[in-house]
Amino acid sequence: MLLKRLREEVLDANLELVRSGVVVFTFGNVSGISREEGLVAIKPSGVPYDELTAEEIVVTDLDGRVVETNLRPSSDLPTHIELYKAFPTIGGVAHTHSEYGTAWAQAQVPIPCFGTTHADYFHGPVPVTPNLSAEEIAGEYEKATGEVIVRTFRDLDPAAIPAVLVAGHAPFAWGADAAEAVHNAVIVEYIARMATHTLAVNPEAQPLARALHDKHFFRKHGAGAYYGQPKG
Amino acid sequence: MLLKRLREEVLDANLELVRSGVVVFTFGNVSGISREEGLVAIKPSGVPYDELTAEEIVVTDLDGRVVETNLRPSSDLPTHIELYKAFPTIGGVAHTHSEYGTAWAQAQVPIPCFGTTHADYFHGPVPVTPNLSAEEIAGEYEKATGEVIVRTFRDLDPAAIPAVLVAGHAPFAWGADAAEAVHNAVIVEYIARMATHTLAVNPEAQPLARALHDKHFFRKHGAGAYYGQPKG
Amino acid sequence: MLLKRLREEVLDANLELVRSGVVVFTFGNVSGISREEGLVAIKPSGVPYDELTAEEIVVTDLDGRVVETNLRPSSDLPTHIELYKAFPTIGGVAHTHSEYGTAWAQAQVPIPCFGTTHADYFHGPVPVTPNLSAEEIAGEYEKATGEVIVRTFRDLDPAAIPAVLVAGHAPFAWGADAAEAVHNAVIVEYIARMATHTLAVNPEAQPLARALHDKHFFRKHGAGAYYGQPKG
Amino acid sequence: MLLKRLREEVLDANLELVRSGVVVFTFGNVSGISREEGLVAIKPSGVPYDELTAEEIVVTDLDGRVVETNLRPSSDLPTHIELYKAFPTIGGVAHTHSEYGTAWAQAQVPIPCFGTTHADYFHGPVPVTPNLSAEEIAGEYEKATGEVIVRTFRDLDPAAIPAVLVAGHAPFAWGADAAEAVHNAVIVEYIARMATHTLAVNPEAQPLARALHDKHFFRKHGAGAYYGQPKG
């Protein structure tokens, strides 16, 4: 079996997505990439999670051609591929229709950074893409979804803002590998829930001051980080 | 035992309804139909789900006459029968008082298609019936409930919009069989939750553009579908 | 052990209250009455539910004097006793601080009958008591809580409206026995949740038409009931 | 192993925090203090809860110097230490990013006492700290967080109001020991949920009358308490 370890990581990440309560039925998919081999491993389309095996994880090249297994890859594969091509530092992508994250995507409102939980993970609001044009929808729709995400990040660093809300659709999150992509997808849901309640309590709530936002982000990320245990 | 397989499907579908978290106590019921024999299998009235057996599933004809078992059928049977008579393509009906779906029925507001999750299942908003008249309520109430649903679909395709909100009451969903009816009932609840949160975040949220709505619906339904694994 | 069966019913009802998710920690209590003996069985005060035994259920007379066991009864006992004295048809009382039911009590807004789920159980809105006066609070507070509930029902039938919201406090529910009181307490929470969401979707939502309200209530209650299986 | 019993209490309290559903991932931490020895036991930073052992609980002195174990303490340790220094009656501190409690902290609105559940635990609203200045954030941030909490309590009794919302951050709660601190952290989340729903139902909802607030608080606290079983 090709890329055994990557497939297993992708399988585990897909199952973790379910355990975290951010998918219902077969909504959602996770992929991982082997940069050396230029191959992507992704959940097959429409297969129930409780039956999924590592053998069924579909491996494709960066043109979306299936390299192994007879199953169709998730129909969102072309979106994942656009992200891997444009964001060279990422190793995994997770897509969910999680309840509150999707609501913000549907509302077409970026999630403001209302607090330090958000700032620990995102160095700015979680952005919303523009809407796709009728031509993009009629053409290679899933590829166009990837392209509009990439355009949304023209002036943003995907490593500092590891998720996006696709307008009228749902969140995509990413990370160093498939597991971190899932972790970030769960965080998007959690901060979306808290942001919704924040507005319910105070419709005039203001984003966190820049100094505190920076403090929390850099407490966990980059050279000056001091959160968690030292690595290595 | 008559219609053993249909009864078991209907039993499983009723239990799946409970596992999915869309019913409390004995609220809710699922039926299935054998079109060849013109017989309907439905949950008995007021029996707790955890004690339900296939033998207790009530079988009736399309006039609502019990053919087997001594239990009373769900009091909503006449509603199910009207749907089977008017919608020849459906094979199962599920009724719940699920928390958010019921709230939209109580609010008497159709669920707008705010996103692709909705568009994957419903080719338009989930409609609300008009209110019943005092005469309809005083007469054969449950039959009138079925009739008002059928009137609501006069210009709608029940295969493309597999659920309805009965005004001041709760959702009814349907599908090719009892299991699909339950699946659609769970989807109604999920999109109702997300639509509620969407309005909380942005009271001016707009429905999905028609092109994207069509794209998602026809990605999963009809001749051009490419979601999931090929059938057969 | 005195009143063994009643104690066991009251124990089971208290544990069912916890399983139903309507209490946290030790908030909440259930009692039952033996009308023949004029004795009430109630949860002891502040004892964790997971350690509770039938022996620890406290038995008191209708003056609140403990007849057996050394434990203090729930501090809400005098409220329960007032209800038993004023409402001769009831056999059980349940008190919770359930999340949404308590929110309506805190909001001091009666729960309108927005739909048939409500109408199946309550023949009218779930009422809110007036606030207690400073004198009532300083005096026999828990007895005064019972008295204000009884005053609220001066023109209402406690059998047709088996619950109340005590202003600024939380719901009390009752029924033919302790188990039914718990059932009604869970229903209050469920309709409070749905009513909250109904208002979120449509702040102008209107109560159910009287004819439909009556239809649903009398479908399940009284001489013309036809819901559930025939009794006996 | 130094302070074996305190470590075990702190371990149990951290695990209880997770079981209570008020933390996700590694967000949140609990500490306990030995006043005699002037030592604090606290969760290590960024270690998953399901792998945590009593040996890994970090013991430090009141200057934050690690006395035993090689793991880094929670990065919030300096906040806990400020609270122990300023509030001599407390023996445990719990910090969460619980969903609704954090939303109120983000909304920067004190939680009003809308009902008796709140009054049973807090003799007044749950306060919000002022925002930290850019200098405080750039300096010893976690220590400054403790200092701003202490300033917020200049005219408040930490024993009568055992929690605070740090503006734009999240709740801190405390108690006689680590277990009581966790209990109070769970209560903060519960009253924050109910207060959110209360405002949803009635945006003009009013705080509880002072007499009833006092009644409930003193029913459970101080010399005249009569809730629960007599101690000793």
PDB file of all heavy atoms in Angstrom, chain A residues 112-126:
ATOM      1  N   PRO A 112     -14.780  38.135  14.074  1.00  0.00           N
ATOM      2  CA  PRO A 112     -13.846  39.096  14.686  1.00  0.00           C
ATOM      3  C   PRO A 112     -13.060  38.412  15.800  1.00  0.00           C
ATOM      4  O   PRO A 112     -13.552  37.467  16.409  1.00  0.00           O
ATOM      5  CB  PRO A 112     -14.768  40.173  15.295  1.00  0.00           C
ATOM      6  CG  PRO A 112     -16.149  39.878  14.811  1.00  0.00           C
ATOM      7  CD  PRO A 112     -16.182  38.436  14.434  1.00  0.00           C
ATOM      8  N   CYS A 113     -11.893  38.924  16.092  1.00  0.00           N
ATOM      9  CA  CYS A 113     -11.133  38.408  17.226  1.00  0.00           C
ATOM     10  C   CYS A 113     -11.637  39.073  18.501  1.00  0.00           C
ATOM     11  O   CYS A 113     -11.181  40.150  18.872  1.00  0.00           O
ATOM     12  CB  CYS A 113      -9.641  38.674  17.042  1.00  0.00           C
ATOM     13  SG  CYS A 113      -8.722  38.068  18.462  1.00  0.00           S
ATOM     14  N   PHE A 114     -12.606  38.422  19.151  1.00  0.00           N
ATOM     15  CA  PHE A 114     -13.206  38.999  20.360  1.00  0.00           C
ATOM     16  C   PHE A 114     -12.429  38.639  21.624  1.00  0.00           C
ATOM     17  O   PHE A 114     -12.738  39.172  22.691  1.00  0.00           O
ATOM     18  CB  PHE A 114     -14.645  38.503  20.534  1.00  0.00           C
ATOM     19  CG  PHE A 114     -15.652  39.205  19.670  1.00  0.00           C
ATOM     20  CD1 PHE A 114     -16.622  38.473  18.980  1.00  0.00           C
ATOM     21  CD2 PHE A 114     -15.670  40.593  19.555  1.00  0.00           C
ATOM     22  CE1 PHE A 114     -17.578  39.116  18.202  1.00  0.00           C
ATOM     23  CE2 PHE A 114     -16.627  41.243  18.773  1.00  0.00           C
ATOM     24  CZ  PHE A 114     -17.578  40.507  18.085  1.00  0.00           C
ATOM     25  N   GLY A 115     -11.477  37.703  21.527  1.00  0.00           N
ATOM     26  CA  GLY A 115     -10.836  37.310  22.775  1.00  0.00           C
ATOM     27  C   GLY A 115      -9.567  36.522  22.561  1.00  0.00           C
ATOM     28  O   GLY A 115      -9.153  36.232  21.426  1.00  0.00           O
ATOM     29  N   THR A 116      -8.939  36.158  23.677  1.00  0.00           N
ATOM     30  CA  THR A 116      -7.624  35.541  23.608  1.00  0.00           C
ATOM     31  C   THR A 116      -7.670  34.117  23.071  1.00  0.00           C
ATOM     32  O   THR A 116      -6.669  33.633  22.546  1.00  0.00           O
ATOM     33  CB  THR A 116      -6.962  35.546  25.002  1.00  0.00           C
ATOM     34  OG1 THR A 116      -7.779  34.779  25.885  1.00  0.00           O
ATOM     35  CG2 THR A 116      -6.808  36.955  25.530  1.00  0.00           C
ATOM     36  N   THR A 117      -8.812  33.439  23.194  1.00  0.00           N
ATOM     37  CA  THR A 117      -8.908  32.083  22.620  1.00  0.00           C
ATOM     38  C   THR A 117      -8.689  32.162  21.111  1.00  0.00           C
ATOM     39  O   THR A 117      -7.974  31.352  20.518  1.00  0.00           O
ATOM     40  CB  THR A 117     -10.306  31.475  22.883  1.00  0.00           C
ATOM     41  OG1 THR A 117     -10.786  31.871  24.155  1.00  0.00           O
ATOM     42  CG2 THR A 117     -10.277  29.967  22.783  1.00  0.00           C
ATOM     43  N   HIS A 118      -9.334  33.124  20.495  1.00  0.00           N
ATOM     44  CA  HIS A 118      -9.173  33.379  19.066  1.00  0.00           C
ATOM     45  C   HIS A 118      -7.721  33.791  18.777  1.00  0.00           C
ATOM     46  O   HIS A 118      -7.080  33.258  17.855  1.00  0.00           O
ATOM     47  CB  HIS A 118     -10.162  34.486  18.669  1.00  0.00           C
ATOM     48  CG  HIS A 118     -10.171  34.844  17.215  1.00  0.00           C
ATOM     49  ND1 HIS A 118     -11.306  34.803  16.447  1.00  0.00           N
ATOM     50  CD2 HIS A 118      -9.199  35.281  16.389  1.00  0.00           C
ATOM     51  CE1 HIS A 118     -11.034  35.182  15.210  1.00  0.00           C
ATOM     52  NE2 HIS A 118      -9.763  35.486  15.149  1.00  0.00           N
ATOM     53  N   ALA A 119      -7.203  34.721  19.581  1.00  0.00           N
ATOM     54  CA  ALA A 119      -5.854  35.258  19.346  1.00  0.00           C
ATOM     55  C   ALA A 119      -4.782  34.189  19.501  1.00  0.00           C
ATOM     56  O   ALA A 119      -3.707  34.286  18.899  1.00  0.00           O
ATOM     57  CB  ALA A 119      -5.580  36.419  20.307  1.00  0.00           C
ATOM     58  N   ASP A 120      -5.061  33.146  20.312  1.00  0.00           N
ATOM     59  CA  ASP A 120      -4.086  32.068  20.470  1.00  0.00           C
ATOM     60  C   ASP A 120      -3.847  31.330  19.152  1.00  0.00           C
ATOM     61  O   ASP A 120      -2.810  30.685  18.978  1.00  0.00           O
ATOM     62  CB  ASP A 120      -4.580  31.048  21.510  1.00  0.00           C
ATOM     63  CG  ASP A 120      -4.368  31.520  22.943  1.00  0.00           C
ATOM     64  OD1 ASP A 120      -3.534  32.405  23.163  1.00  0.00           O
ATOM     65  OD2 ASP A 120      -5.050  30.987  23.841  1.00  0.00           O
ATOM     66  N   TYR A 121      -4.813  31.384  18.246  1.00  0.00           N
ATOM     67  CA  TYR A 121      -4.741  30.591  17.014  1.00  0.00           C
ATOM     68  C   TYR A 121      -4.697  31.407  15.735  1.00  0.00           C
ATOM     69  O   TYR A 121      -4.158  30.942  14.732  1.00  0.00           O
ATOM     70  CB  TYR A 121      -5.945  29.645  16.937  1.00  0.00           C
ATOM     71  CG  TYR A 121      -5.816  28.490  17.877  1.00  0.00           C
ATOM     72  CD1 TYR A 121      -6.276  28.567  19.189  1.00  0.00           C
ATOM     73  CD2 TYR A 121      -5.179  27.328  17.461  1.00  0.00           C
ATOM     74  CE1 TYR A 121      -6.116  27.505  20.062  1.00  0.00           C
ATOM     75  CE2 TYR A 121      -5.016  26.259  18.323  1.00  0.00           C
ATOM     76  CZ  TYR A 121      -5.493  26.358  19.633  1.00  0.00           C
ATOM     77  OH  TYR A 121      -5.326  25.307  20.471  1.00  0.00           O
ATOM     78  N   PHE A 122      -5.310  32.586  15.743  1.00  0.00           N
ATOM     79  CA  PHE A 122      -5.476  33.358  14.514  1.00  0.00           C
ATOM     80  C   PHE A 122      -4.954  34.769  14.722  1.00  0.00           C
ATOM     81  O   PHE A 122      -5.425  35.473  15.616  1.00  0.00           O
ATOM     82  CB  PHE A 122      -6.957  33.429  14.123  1.00  0.00           C
ATOM     83  CG  PHE A 122      -7.534  32.100  13.773  1.00  0.00           C
ATOM     84  CD1 PHE A 122      -8.196  31.348  14.732  1.00  0.00           C
ATOM     85  CD2 PHE A 122      -7.386  31.588  12.491  1.00  0.00           C
ATOM     86  CE1 PHE A 122      -8.704  30.099  14.421  1.00  0.00           C
ATOM     87  CE2 PHE A 122      -7.902  30.343  12.165  1.00  0.00           C
ATOM     88  CZ  PHE A 122      -8.561  29.595  13.134  1.00  0.00           C
ATOM     89  N   HIS A 123      -4.042  35.175  13.854  1.00  0.00           N
ATOM     90  CA  HIS A 123      -3.488  36.511  13.985  1.00  0.00           C
ATOM     91  C   HIS A 123      -4.314  37.499  13.153  1.00  0.00           C
ATOM     92  O   HIS A 123      -3.807  38.167  12.252  1.00  0.00           O
ATOM     93  CB  HIS A 123      -2.004  36.501  13.567  1.00  0.00           C
ATOM     94  CG  HIS A 123      -1.254  37.689  14.058  1.00  0.00           C
ATOM     95  ND1 HIS A 123      -0.250  38.286  13.352  1.00  0.00           N
ATOM     96  CD2 HIS A 123      -1.390  38.417  15.202  1.00  0.00           C
ATOM     97  CE1 HIS A 123       0.206  39.329  14.027  1.00  0.00           C
ATOM     98  NE2 HIS A 123      -0.464  39.415  15.150  1.00  0.00           N
ATOM     99  N   GLY A 124      -5.603  37.576  13.475  1.00  0.00           N
ATOM    100  CA  GLY A 124      -6.549  38.431  12.769  1.00  0.00           C
ATOM    101  C   GLY A 124      -7.901  37.747  12.699  1.00  0.00           C
ATOM    102  O   GLY A 124      -8.052  36.617  13.165  1.00  0.00           O
ATOM    103  N   PRO A 125      -8.908  38.423  12.136  1.00  0.00           N
ATOM    104  CA  PRO A 125     -10.224  37.788  11.993  1.00  0.00           C
ATOM    105  C   PRO A 125     -10.134  36.568  11.077  1.00  0.00           C
ATOM    106  O   PRO A 125      -9.212  36.483  10.256  1.00  0.00           O
ATOM    107  CB  PRO A 125     -11.088  38.872  11.316  1.00  0.00           C
ATOM    108  CG  PRO A 125     -10.318  40.148  11.422  1.00  0.00           C
ATOM    109  CD  PRO A 125      -8.873  39.787  11.572  1.00  0.00           C
ATOM    110  N   VAL A 126     -11.080  35.644  11.203  1.00  0.00           N
ATOM    111  CA  VAL A 126     -11.176  34.551  10.228  1.00  0.00           C
ATOM    112  C   VAL A 126     -11.923  35.127   9.024  1.00  0.00           C
ATOM    113  O   VAL A 126     -13.094  35.506   9.146  1.00  0.00           O
ATOM    114  CB  VAL A 126     -11.918  33.337  10.808  1.00  0.00           C
ATOM    115  CG1 VAL A 126     -11.986  32.218   9.764  1.00  0.00           C
ATOM    116  CG2 VAL A 126     -11.230  32.849  12.079  1.00  0.00           C
TER     117      VAL A 126
END
